[in-house]
mmCIF file of all heavy atoms in Angstrom:
data_model
loop_
_atom_site.group_PDB
_atom_site.id
_atom_site.type_symbol
_atom_site.label_atom_id
_atom_site.label_comp_id
_atom_site.label_asym_id
_atom_site.label_seq_id
_atom_site.Cartn_x
_atom_site.Cartn_y
_atom_site.Cartn_z
ATOM 1 N N SER K 456 219.896 44.266 138.332
ATOM 2 C CA SER K 456 220.671 45.003 139.338
ATOM 3 C C SER K 456 221.761 44.134 139.991
ATOM 4 O O SER K 456 222.672 44.662 140.618
ATOM 5 C CB SER K 456 219.748 45.620 140.393
ATOM 6 O OG SER K 456 218.772 44.731 140.792
ATOM 7 N N ASN K 457 221.678 42.827 139.849
ATOM 8 C CA ASN K 457 222.734 41.958 140.400
ATOM 9 C C ASN K 457 224.005 42.098 139.552
ATOM 10 O O ASN K 457 223.990 41.816 138.349
ATOM 11 C CB ASN K 457 222.223 40.499 140.368
ATOM 12 C CG ASN K 457 223.284 39.513 140.837
ATOM 13 O OD1 ASN K 457 224.436 39.879 141.115
ATOM 14 N ND2 ASN K 457 222.904 38.252 140.915
ATOM 15 N N PRO K 458 225.114 42.538 140.155
ATOM 16 C CA PRO K 458 226.337 42.766 139.359
ATOM 17 C C PRO K 458 226.817 41.528 138.603
ATOM 18 O O PRO K 458 227.468 41.641 137.558
ATOM 19 C CB PRO K 458 227.373 43.184 140.413
ATOM 20 C CG PRO K 458 226.659 43.356 141.708
ATOM 21 C CD PRO K 458 225.273 42.823 141.580
ATOM 22 N N GLU K 459 226.468 40.331 139.108
ATOM 23 C CA GLU K 459 226.931 39.110 138.421
ATOM 24 C C GLU K 459 226.201 38.890 137.094
ATOM 25 O O GLU K 459 226.733 38.276 136.180
ATOM 26 C CB GLU K 459 226.698 37.882 139.317
ATOM 27 C CG GLU K 459 227.620 37.830 140.511
ATOM 28 C CD GLU K 459 227.242 36.695 141.444
ATOM 29 O OE1 GLU K 459 226.908 35.602 140.969
ATOM 30 O OE2 GLU K 459 227.251 36.935 142.666
ATOM 31 N N THR K 460 224.949 39.353 137.015
ATOM 32 C CA THR K 460 224.165 39.085 135.796
ATOM 33 C C THR K 460 223.835 40.344 135.002
ATOM 34 O O THR K 460 223.391 40.251 133.858
ATOM 35 C CB THR K 460 222.839 38.386 136.163
ATOM 36 O OG1 THR K 460 222.230 39.137 137.234
ATOM 37 C CG2 THR K 460 223.051 36.949 136.593
ATOM 38 N N ALA K 461 224.031 41.514 135.629
ATOM 39 C CA ALA K 461 223.569 42.765 135.012
ATOM 40 C C ALA K 461 224.070 42.935 133.582
ATOM 41 O O ALA K 461 223.290 43.269 132.684
ATOM 42 C CB ALA K 461 224.009 43.948 135.877
ATOM 43 N N LYS K 462 225.362 42.673 133.383
ATOM 44 C CA LYS K 462 225.907 42.952 132.039
ATOM 45 C C LYS K 462 225.268 42.044 130.978
ATOM 46 O O LYS K 462 225.082 42.434 129.834
ATOM 47 C CB LYS K 462 227.426 42.853 132.030
ATOM 48 C CG LYS K 462 227.984 41.492 132.246
ATOM 49 C CD LYS K 462 229.496 41.491 132.082
ATOM 50 C CE LYS K 462 229.994 40.057 132.301
ATOM 51 N NZ LYS K 462 231.409 39.931 132.302
ATOM 52 N N TRP K 463 224.912 40.812 131.383
ATOM 53 C CA TRP K 463 224.309 39.883 130.410
ATOM 54 C C TRP K 463 222.872 40.295 130.082
ATOM 55 O O TRP K 463 222.442 40.280 128.943
ATOM 56 C CB TRP K 463 224.313 38.441 130.942
ATOM 57 C CG TRP K 463 225.674 37.957 131.356
ATOM 58 C CD1 TRP K 463 226.055 37.546 132.592
ATOM 59 C CD2 TRP K 463 226.825 37.842 130.512
ATOM 60 N NE1 TRP K 463 227.380 37.184 132.597
ATOM 61 C CE2 TRP K 463 227.876 37.357 131.326
ATOM 62 C CE3 TRP K 463 227.086 38.117 129.171
ATOM 63 C CZ2 TRP K 463 229.156 37.131 130.834
ATOM 64 C CZ3 TRP K 463 228.362 37.881 128.681
ATOM 65 C CH2 TRP K 463 229.389 37.404 129.505
ATOM 66 N N VAL K 464 222.164 40.668 131.153
ATOM 67 C CA VAL K 464 220.766 41.084 130.936
ATOM 68 C C VAL K 464 220.737 42.343 130.071
ATOM 69 O O VAL K 464 219.973 42.442 129.105
ATOM 70 C CB VAL K 464 220.045 41.314 132.291
ATOM 71 C CG1 VAL K 464 218.641 41.876 132.075
ATOM 72 C CG2 VAL K 464 219.962 40.006 133.079
ATOM 73 N N LYS K 465 221.601 43.275 130.405
ATOM 74 C CA LYS K 465 221.655 44.541 129.668
ATOM 75 C C LYS K 465 221.989 44.307 128.188
ATOM 76 O O LYS K 465 221.368 44.875 127.296
ATOM 77 C CB LYS K 465 222.734 45.430 130.305
ATOM 78 C CG LYS K 465 222.390 46.868 130.263
ATOM 79 C CD LYS K 465 223.327 47.665 131.126
ATOM 80 C CE LYS K 465 223.185 49.103 130.699
ATOM 81 N NZ LYS K 465 224.146 49.981 131.192
ATOM 82 N N LYS K 466 222.935 43.433 127.973
ATOM 83 C CA LYS K 466 223.396 43.161 126.606
ATOM 84 C C LYS K 466 222.336 42.412 125.784
ATOM 85 O O LYS K 466 221.991 42.808 124.682
ATOM 86 C CB LYS K 466 224.671 42.330 126.715
ATOM 87 C CG LYS K 466 225.338 41.899 125.429
ATOM 88 C CD LYS K 466 226.581 41.066 125.813
ATOM 89 C CE LYS K 466 227.160 40.250 124.693
ATOM 90 N NZ LYS K 466 228.038 41.016 123.810
ATOM 91 N N TYR K 467 221.812 41.331 126.389
ATOM 92 C CA TYR K 467 220.958 40.449 125.574
ATOM 93 C C TYR K 467 219.486 40.823 125.589
ATOM 94 O O TYR K 467 218.699 40.258 124.838
ATOM 95 C CB TYR K 467 221.181 38.992 125.988
ATOM 96 C CG TYR K 467 222.558 38.519 125.566
ATOM 97 C CD1 TYR K 467 223.542 38.187 126.508
ATOM 98 C CD2 TYR K 467 222.889 38.457 124.210
ATOM 99 C CE1 TYR K 467 224.809 37.788 126.116
ATOM 100 C CE2 TYR K 467 224.151 38.067 123.810
ATOM 101 C CZ TYR K 467 225.109 37.735 124.753
ATOM 102 O OH TYR K 467 226.351 37.358 124.344
ATOM 103 N N LEU K 468 219.112 41.768 126.432
ATOM 104 C CA LEU K 468 217.724 42.245 126.379
ATOM 105 C C LEU K 468 217.624 43.627 125.735
ATOM 106 O O LEU K 468 216.574 44.262 125.782
ATOM 107 C CB LEU K 468 217.083 42.263 127.773
ATOM 108 C CG LEU K 468 216.308 40.968 128.021
ATOM 109 C CD1 LEU K 468 217.209 39.867 128.527
ATOM 110 C CD2 LEU K 468 215.166 41.194 128.958
ATOM 111 N N SER K 469 218.698 44.037 125.145
ATOM 112 C CA SER K 469 218.665 45.365 124.517
ATOM 113 C C SER K 469 217.816 45.321 123.240
ATOM 114 O O SER K 469 217.625 44.261 122.638
ATOM 115 C CB SER K 469 220.082 45.838 124.187
ATOM 116 O OG SER K 469 220.632 44.982 123.215
ATOM 117 N N GLY K 470 217.328 46.481 122.857
ATOM 118 C CA GLY K 470 216.582 46.603 121.595
ATOM 119 C C GLY K 470 217.336 47.542 120.681
ATOM 120 O O GLY K 470 218.546 47.386 120.501
ATOM 121 N N VAL K 471 216.652 48.569 120.163
ATOM 122 C CA VAL K 471 217.346 49.491 119.258
ATOM 123 C C VAL K 471 218.338 50.356 120.035
ATOM 124 O O VAL K 471 218.168 50.569 121.245
ATOM 125 C CB VAL K 471 216.362 50.401 118.482
ATOM 126 C CG1 VAL K 471 215.393 49.595 117.642
ATOM 127 C CG2 VAL K 471 215.611 51.337 119.411
ATOM 128 N N GLU K 472 219.315 50.822 119.327
ATOM 129 C CA GLU K 472 220.346 51.640 119.946
ATOM 130 C C GLU K 472 219.737 52.917 120.535
ATOM 131 O O GLU K 472 218.817 53.504 119.947
ATOM 132 C CB GLU K 472 221.355 52.035 118.862
ATOM 133 C CG GLU K 472 222.758 52.167 119.372
ATOM 134 C CD GLU K 472 223.681 52.590 118.240
ATOM 135 O OE1 GLU K 472 223.553 52.042 117.137
ATOM 136 O OE2 GLU K 472 224.498 53.500 118.487
ATOM 137 N N GLY K 473 220.229 53.311 121.679
ATOM 138 C CA GLY K 473 219.758 54.556 122.294
ATOM 139 C C GLY K 473 218.624 54.349 123.281
ATOM 140 O O GLY K 473 218.249 55.266 124.000
ATOM 141 N N ILE K 474 218.058 53.155 123.298
ATOM 142 C CA ILE K 474 216.994 52.872 124.277
ATOM 143 C C ILE K 474 217.588 52.036 125.410
ATOM 144 O O ILE K 474 218.213 51.002 125.170
ATOM 145 C CB ILE K 474 215.809 52.096 123.626
ATOM 146 C CG1 ILE K 474 215.150 52.930 122.521
ATOM 147 C CG2 ILE K 474 214.777 51.664 124.679
ATOM 148 C CD1 ILE K 474 214.475 54.212 122.973
ATOM 149 N N GLU K 475 217.395 52.494 126.620
ATOM 150 C CA GLU K 475 217.904 51.771 127.795
ATOM 151 C C GLU K 475 217.224 50.407 127.892
ATOM 152 O O GLU K 475 215.988 50.327 127.744
ATOM 153 C CB GLU K 475 217.537 52.546 129.064
ATOM 154 C CG GLU K 475 218.271 53.840 129.246
ATOM 155 C CD GLU K 475 219.574 53.644 130.011
ATOM 156 O OE1 GLU K 475 219.796 52.559 130.559
ATOM 157 O OE2 GLU K 475 220.367 54.596 130.009
ATOM 158 N N THR K 476 217.994 49.379 128.181
ATOM 159 C CA THR K 476 217.404 48.043 128.363
ATOM 160 C C THR K 476 216.349 48.093 129.473
ATOM 161 O O THR K 476 215.293 47.461 129.386
ATOM 162 C CB THR K 476 218.503 47.018 128.715
ATOM 163 O OG1 THR K 476 219.403 46.946 127.612
ATOM 164 C CG2 THR K 476 217.928 45.640 128.990
ATOM 165 N N LYS K 477 216.652 48.881 130.503
ATOM 166 C CA LYS K 477 215.710 48.977 131.622
ATOM 167 C C LYS K 477 214.338 49.496 131.157
ATOM 168 O O LYS K 477 213.298 49.002 131.582
ATOM 169 C CB LYS K 477 216.287 49.919 132.694
ATOM 170 C CG LYS K 477 215.505 49.868 133.991
ATOM 171 C CD LYS K 477 215.856 51.027 134.879
ATOM 172 C CE LYS K 477 216.984 50.657 135.819
ATOM 173 N NZ LYS K 477 217.270 51.749 136.773
ATOM 174 N N ASP K 478 214.343 50.467 130.245
ATOM 175 C CA ASP K 478 213.067 51.014 129.760
ATOM 176 C C ASP K 478 212.320 49.984 128.914
ATOM 177 O O ASP K 478 211.097 49.886 128.971
ATOM 178 C CB ASP K 478 213.301 52.296 128.937
ATOM 179 C CG ASP K 478 213.705 53.458 129.845
ATOM 180 O OD1 ASP K 478 213.471 53.352 131.068
ATOM 181 O OD2 ASP K 478 214.264 54.446 129.341
ATOM 182 N N ARG K 479 213.092 49.221 128.149
ATOM 183 C CA ARG K 479 212.435 48.165 127.350
ATOM 184 C C ARG K 479 211.800 47.140 128.287
ATOM 185 O O ARG K 479 210.678 46.683 128.072
ATOM 186 C CB ARG K 479 213.475 47.511 126.431
ATOM 187 C CG ARG K 479 212.863 46.485 125.495
ATOM 188 C CD ARG K 479 213.804 46.102 124.354
ATOM 189 N NE ARG K 479 213.178 45.090 123.506
ATOM 190 C CZ ARG K 479 213.502 43.807 123.547
ATOM 191 N NH1 ARG K 479 214.435 43.359 124.359
ATOM 192 N NH2 ARG K 479 212.874 42.956 122.755
ATOM 193 N N MET K 480 212.533 46.811 129.364
ATOM 194 C CA MET K 480 211.985 45.849 130.343
ATOM 195 C C MET K 480 210.740 46.418 131.031
ATOM 196 O O MET K 480 209.758 45.708 131.253
ATOM 197 C CB MET K 480 213.053 45.481 131.378
ATOM 198 C CG MET K 480 214.148 44.590 130.804
ATOM 199 S SD MET K 480 215.482 44.272 131.987
ATOM 200 C CE MET K 480 214.751 43.039 133.050
ATOM 201 N N LYS K 481 210.783 47.700 131.349
ATOM 202 C CA LYS K 481 209.609 48.320 132.008
ATOM 203 C C LYS K 481 208.377 48.229 131.112
ATOM 204 O O LYS K 481 207.279 47.918 131.567
ATOM 205 C CB LYS K 481 209.895 49.804 132.301
ATOM 206 C CG LYS K 481 210.734 50.046 133.524
ATOM 207 C CD LYS K 481 210.856 51.562 133.733
ATOM 208 C CE LYS K 481 211.720 51.893 134.918
ATOM 209 N NZ LYS K 481 211.978 53.323 135.033
ATOM 210 N N MET K 482 208.574 48.531 129.826
ATOM 211 C CA MET K 482 207.429 48.504 128.903
ATOM 212 C C MET K 482 206.910 47.073 128.738
ATOM 213 O O MET K 482 205.697 46.843 128.698
ATOM 214 C CB MET K 482 207.867 49.107 127.552
ATOM 215 C CG MET K 482 206.738 49.415 126.583
ATOM 216 S SD MET K 482 205.312 50.306 127.268
ATOM 217 C CE MET K 482 206.059 51.807 127.876
ATOM 218 N N MET K 483 207.826 46.106 128.690
ATOM 219 C CA MET K 483 207.406 44.702 128.579
ATOM 220 C C MET K 483 206.586 44.294 129.806
ATOM 221 O O MET K 483 205.594 43.576 129.705
ATOM 222 C CB MET K 483 208.636 43.792 128.469
ATOM 223 C CG MET K 483 209.368 43.902 127.152
ATOM 224 S SD MET K 483 208.412 43.180 125.803
ATOM 225 C CE MET K 483 209.602 43.306 124.465
ATOM 226 N N ARG K 484 207.033 44.729 130.969
ATOM 227 C CA ARG K 484 206.312 44.363 132.207
ATOM 228 C C ARG K 484 204.942 45.041 132.276
ATOM 229 O O ARG K 484 203.995 44.457 132.780
ATOM 230 C CB ARG K 484 207.137 44.750 133.438
ATOM 231 C CG ARG K 484 208.322 43.853 133.697
ATOM 232 C CD ARG K 484 207.887 42.436 134.005
ATOM 233 N NE ARG K 484 209.043 41.607 134.308
ATOM 234 C CZ ARG K 484 209.119 40.312 134.022
ATOM 235 N NH1 ARG K 484 208.112 39.684 133.454
ATOM 236 N NH2 ARG K 484 210.201 39.634 134.331
ATOM 237 N N LEU K 485 204.877 46.268 131.740
ATOM 238 C CA LEU K 485 203.561 46.923 131.699
ATOM 239 C C LEU K 485 202.622 46.102 130.796
ATOM 240 O O LEU K 485 201.465 45.861 131.131
ATOM 241 C CB LEU K 485 203.680 48.365 131.172
ATOM 242 C CG LEU K 485 202.336 49.067 130.931
ATOM 243 C CD1 LEU K 485 201.584 49.328 132.245
ATOM 244 C CD2 LEU K 485 202.515 50.392 130.200
#
Side-chain angles (χ1 to χ4, degrees):
S456 44
N457 176 355
E459 289 173 41
T460 49
K462 67 174 181 186
W463 305 119
V464 174
K465 214 169 163 192
K466 179 181 164 82
Y467 290 114
L468 265 85
S469 65
V471 300
E472 213 181 317
I474 298 295
E475 290 271 349
T476 297
K477 191 195 268 185
D478 288 342
R479 184 165 179 257
M480 288 175 77
K481 280 184 182 173
M482 192 47 59
M483 289 289 186
R484 286 296 182 212
L485 173 67

